[in-house]
């Protein structure tokens, strides 16, 4: 059962009741969380590199999720540092936020939304 769906420019990410994340669409900037060699997925594909997820938020071409232990993960376009990973490189696979940020966030208790102006 799908619990959450979020859409970016040319891709969609879904979260099921078991905390499994799926993505489909275009993958030119890593926004699917799959290998760089995967250019497009026409049906939902499981993103294997994550623990169970409880919250999902997206920007136009990047994704930020929170796992059940409160850790934040990001993948996708990061040219302007919008993924919060401490660098400006595209993240093709989910990368955990720097530990010092995770210690501020703590256990799942916030909802992070992304808005484009």
């Amino acid at each position: 059962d799908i619990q959450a769906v979020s859409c970016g420019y040319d891709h969609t990410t879904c979260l099921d009741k078991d905390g499994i994340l799926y993505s489909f669409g275009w993958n030119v900037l890593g926004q699917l969380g799959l290998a760089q060699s995967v250019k497009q997925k026409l049906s939902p594909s499981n993103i294997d590199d994550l623990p169970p997820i409880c919250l999902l938020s997206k920007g136009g071409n990047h994704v930020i999720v929170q796992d059940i232990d409160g850790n934040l993960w990001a993948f996708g376009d990061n040219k302007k540092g919008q993924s919060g990973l401490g660098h400006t490189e595209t993240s093709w696979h989910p990368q955990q936020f720097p530990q010092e940020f995770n210690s501020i966030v703590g256990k799942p208790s916030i909802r992070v939304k992304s808005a484009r102006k």
Side-chain angles (χ1 to χ4, degrees), residues 27-101:
N27 192 42
V28 295
L29 294 168
Q31 62 268 49
L32 297 186
L34 304 172
Q36 186 172 0
S37 61
V38 177
K39 300 299 180 200
Q40 184 178 28
K41 282 291 190 177
L42 300 177
S43 60
S45 294
N46 180 7
I47 302 172
D48 293 326
D49 301 337
L50 289 166
I53 299 300
C54 62
L55 294 174
L56 161 65
S57 185
K58 296 173 64 70
N61 288 310
H62 71 289
V63 177
I64 297 177
V65 297
Q66 188 175 30
D67 69 30
I68 61 172
D69 292 324
N71 298 305
L72 297 174
W73 300 77
F75 53 92
D77 185 19
N78 191 35
K79 286 185 214 104
K80 297 179 181 172
Q82 65 266 44
S83 292
L85 296 170
H87 58 76
T88 56
E89 299 163 10
T90 295
S91 300
W92 293 94
H93 295 280
Q95 292 185 23
Q96 190 172 350
F97 266 53
Q99 198 59 41
E100 61 272 11
F101 187 84

Side-chain angles (χ1 to χ4, degrees), residues 58-59 113-117:
K58 296 173 64 70
K113 293 286 183 182
S114 175
R116 181 164 171 91
K117 293 182 181 182

